[in-house]
Amino acid sequence: MPLFHTCGPNEAMVVSGCCLPKPLLVPGGRVFVWPGVQMIQRISLNTMTLQIQSDHVYTQLGVAISVTGIAQVKIQGQNEEMLQAACQQFLGKTENEIRKIAQETLEGHQRAIMGNMTVEEIYKDRKKFSKAVFEVASSDLVNMGISVVSYTLKDIRDEERYLKALGMSRTAQVKKDARIGEAEARRDATIREAQAEEQRMASRYANDIEIAQAQRDFELKKAAYDQEVQTKKAQSDLAYELQAAKTKQKIKEEEIQINVIERSQQIQIQEQEIARRERELDSGIRKPAEAEKYRLERLAEANKNRIVLEANAEAEAIQMKGEAEAFAIEAKAKAEAEQMVKKADAWKEYQDAAKVDMILEILPRLAAEVAAPMSQVKKLTMVSVGKGEVGVSKLTGEVLQVMQDLPRAVENMTGVNISSKHISNPRRI
């Protein structure tokens, strides 16, 4: 076994035994140990990171929330009293056991602080909560030789969505403030833009006014100078035009005199030309035209006579044709009248017997026509009410009943009662 022992700055050695009134604490360094009479132990001075979880803890107003905190703790090796207290508490324990003791202590203090604060205080002022936990836990852990290096609040949550409601309210307020701020900024920007535009337009109008005034002065002076120049020029032009007009008048008078002479000569030439053309017209146009007129008059008269004769002939032909057709119609009518007279005389000789004979000849055909519809019927069903005949005799009786009704119908049509007439010809009966 070695006599000298060493350790790093993150570790402390504790030597106890013979010749030592109290344990020797050596935080990082070396020490001489008598083997067999002295004992050496080591304790870690490393920083331990603890996650402090407190679930479903009721706050001051009874709202349950869950909080997660992160703490950095270590055994204080620089303070001999704290190191001695830590050796008394944790010497011989593993680092995990030390971690568990510190974590349970911090969790208890964290829960206690949560119960004394509202959700809004924890949520809005995390620094205050972390400071409270740090101070309370430090005062308790320092007696164990453990110092709290740092403590921060990592997470706050709840199952009732209380925090979300707070956030929504705050978010709405922030959005409202942002919209108000944006609207005010746009309003201010619009106002400033309008003011700048107003100043710009004022400067522009002032500049335009100065330019217009300078332009007006220039135009007035230029107009005065132009008036003088135009007056002199007009006087000169009028004098020139007056002289030119006098000269043109003289020239025009001479031209008119020349035109008069030329027109007189042209009139004489035209009169001679007219006389010449009249002579040509007499010899070449008028005499042939009169001859052609006479010829056309004779042709027109002859054509008129021809048309009149043709019309008279056509009228006589139409008249003769109409008379022939009228004679034919009259002859045909007379023949038909004579035929009707003879037929009427024949009917008068036959009188009632002839009418009856003709009716009796028609009766068989009439009976056949009455029975014809029943011959086309495929099936005939007769229903009896318990009175009269049924069957074929019933059908025959119906046909005979129709035939018995015929004399009355004939009498109604001709006025002749064929039932009371004596028929002498047995063949027709």
Side-chain angles (χ1 to χ4, degrees):
M1 179 178 288
L3 299 178
F4 285 96
H5 295 268
T6 60
C7 66
N10 62 335
E11 193 178 21
M13 294 181 295
V14 181
V15 181
S16 60
C18 182
C19 300
L20 294 174
K22 60 179 182 179
L24 178 61
L25 305 176
V26 181
R30 66 176 182 173
V31 66
F32 180 82
V33 178
W34 291 98
V37 294
Q38 292 180 339
M39 182 179 63
I40 185 172
Q41 293 176 300
R42 298 174 185 270
I43 188 171
S44 176
L45 302 180
N46 290 326
T47 300
M48 294 174 287
T49 301
L50 305 178
Q51 181 171 325
I52 314 302
Q53 183 74 31
S54 299
D55 296 328
H56 203 71
V57 179
Y58 289 97
T59 59
Q60 186 179 15
L61 298 179
V63 180
I65 62 173
S66 299
V67 172
T68 301
I70 301 297
Q72 307 288 337
V73 298
K74 65 171 295 185
I75 295 174
Q76 185 58 258
Q78 302 300 324
N79 191 321
E80 186 177 356
E81 292 181 358
M82 292 181 64
L83 182 57
Q84 187 175 2
C87 291
Q88 292 175 0
Q89 298 287 336
F90 306 117
L91 195 59
K93 295 183 180 295
T94 62
E95 187 174 341
N96 289 333
E97 291 174 338
I98 299 171
R99 182 192 299 270
K100 183 177 180 181
I101 294 171
Q103 183 170 357
E104 291 178 352
T105 303
L106 281 168
E107 183 178 354
H109 291 298
Q110 181 174 274
R111 296 175 72 92
I113 298 300
M114 290 171 62
N116 292 326
M117 296 180 68
T118 62
V119 178
E120 288 79 1
E121 290 176 343
I122 299 172
Y123 177 73
K124 295 179 180 179
D125 196 353
R126 297 192 176 197
K127 186 176 181 181
K128 177 182 177 182
F129 177 78
S130 299
K131 182 179 180 181
V133 175
F134 179 83
E135 291 176 352
V136 174
S138 296
S139 63
D140 196 6
L141 291 175
V142 73
N143 296 326
M144 299 181 185
I146 298 175
S147 64
V148 181
V149 178
S150 66
Y151 173 85
T152 57
L153 181 59
K154 179 181 179 182
D155 184 30
I156 304 174
R157 62 188 181 279
D158 71 301
E159 298 178 357
E160 303 298 330
R161 305 175 68 87
Y162 185 83
L163 293 172
K164 185 176 181 181
L166 292 176
M168 292 174 63
S169 175
R170 180 57 183 166
T171 301
Q173 183 65 32
V174 171
K175 289 183 178 179
K176 174 185 173 183
D177 296 341
R179 288 194 296 269
I180 293 172
E182 184 179 358
E184 291 177 350
R186 286 200 300 268
R187 179 199 63 192
D188 296 340
T190 304
I191 292 172
R192 287 194 292 270
E193 288 178 0
Q195 292 174 351
E197 181 67 16
E198 182 180 1
Q199 294 175 359
R200 186 184 70 83
M201 294 300 294
S203 300
R204 178 181 174 183
Y205 291 151
N207 188 29
D208 292 343
I209 290 171
E210 293 179 359
I211 293 173
Q213 290 177 350
Q215 185 72 22
R216 181 198 62 186
D217 297 339
F218 170 76
E219 294 292 339
L220 289 174
K221 291 181 180 180
K222 184 175 181 296
Y225 296 151
D226 291 341
Q227 183 177 5
E228 294 179 2
V229 173
Q230 293 296 332
T231 301
K232 297 297 183 182
K233 184 178 179 182
Q235 292 175 356
S236 176
D237 292 341
L238 287 174
Y240 171 78
E241 289 177 359
L242 181 61
Q243 186 63 35
K246 292 179 179 180
T247 305
K248 286 181 179 180
Q249 184 176 5
K250 291 181 180 180
I251 295 171
K252 191 69 175 178
E253 291 175 354
E254 295 294 333
E255 289 178 352
I256 291 172
Q257 189 66 28
I258 293 170
N259 289 332
V260 170
I261 296 170
E262 289 179 352
R263 292 296 297 276
S264 299
Q265 294 177 355
Q266 290 177 357
I267 290 170
Q268 293 177 0
I269 294 171
Q270 288 178 358
E271 289 176 353
Q272 295 176 1
E273 181 67 20
I274 290 170
R276 185 184 65 79
R277 289 191 177 185
E278 286 180 353
R279 290 192 295 273
E280 290 181 355
L281 182 63
D282 291 338
S283 62
I285 297 176
R286 287 181 179 175
K287 290 181 178 180
E290 290 176 355
E292 181 66 19
K293 176 182 178 184
Y294 179 77
R295 185 181 70 82
L296 293 174
E297 288 177 353
R298 299 280 76 79
L299 290 175
E301 185 176 358
N303 190 26
K304 182 184 74 172
N305 294 331
R306 180 180 63 78
I307 293 171
V308 170
L309 293 174
E310 289 178 355
N312 292 332
E314 185 176 358
E316 291 177 359
I318 291 172
Q319 183 178 3
M320 294 177 66
K321 182 179 179 181
E323 291 176 354
E325 290 178 352
F327 180 78
I329 292 170
E330 183 179 1
K332 183 178 179 181
K334 289 180 179 180
E336 290 178 352
E338 292 177 357
Q339 184 180 2
M340 293 297 293
V341 170
K342 291 179 181 180
K343 189 175 182 180
D345 294 340
W347 280 102
K348 288 179 181 179
E349 293 178 359
Y350 281 130
Q351 297 182 354
D352 294 342
K355 293 178 182 179
V356 171
D357 183 64
M358 292 179 66
I359 291 171
L360 291 176
E361 286 182 353
I362 294 172
L363 284 177
R365 286 183 289 172
L366 184 60
E369 293 296 329
V370 171
M374 289 187 289
S375 65
Q376 302 296 327
V377 177
K378 295 182 180 180
K379 182 179 180 181
L380 182 62
T381 302
M382 300 187 68
V383 179
S384 176
V385 296
K387 296 180 181 180
E389 298 178 352
V390 296
V392 178
S393 61
K394 179 66 175 178
L395 294 175
T396 306
E398 294 290 339
V399 174
L400 292 176
Q401 182 64 40
V402 173
M403 298 300 296
Q404 289 176 4
D405 293 336
L406 286 176
R408 288 194 298 271
V410 172
E411 185 178 3
N412 293 330
M413 290 186 294
T414 63
V416 178
N417 188 353
I418 61 176
S419 298
S420 61
K421 295 296 180 178
H422 175 70
I423 306 300
S424 62
N425 191 347
R427 181 184 60 85
R428 293 188 181 276
I429 296 173

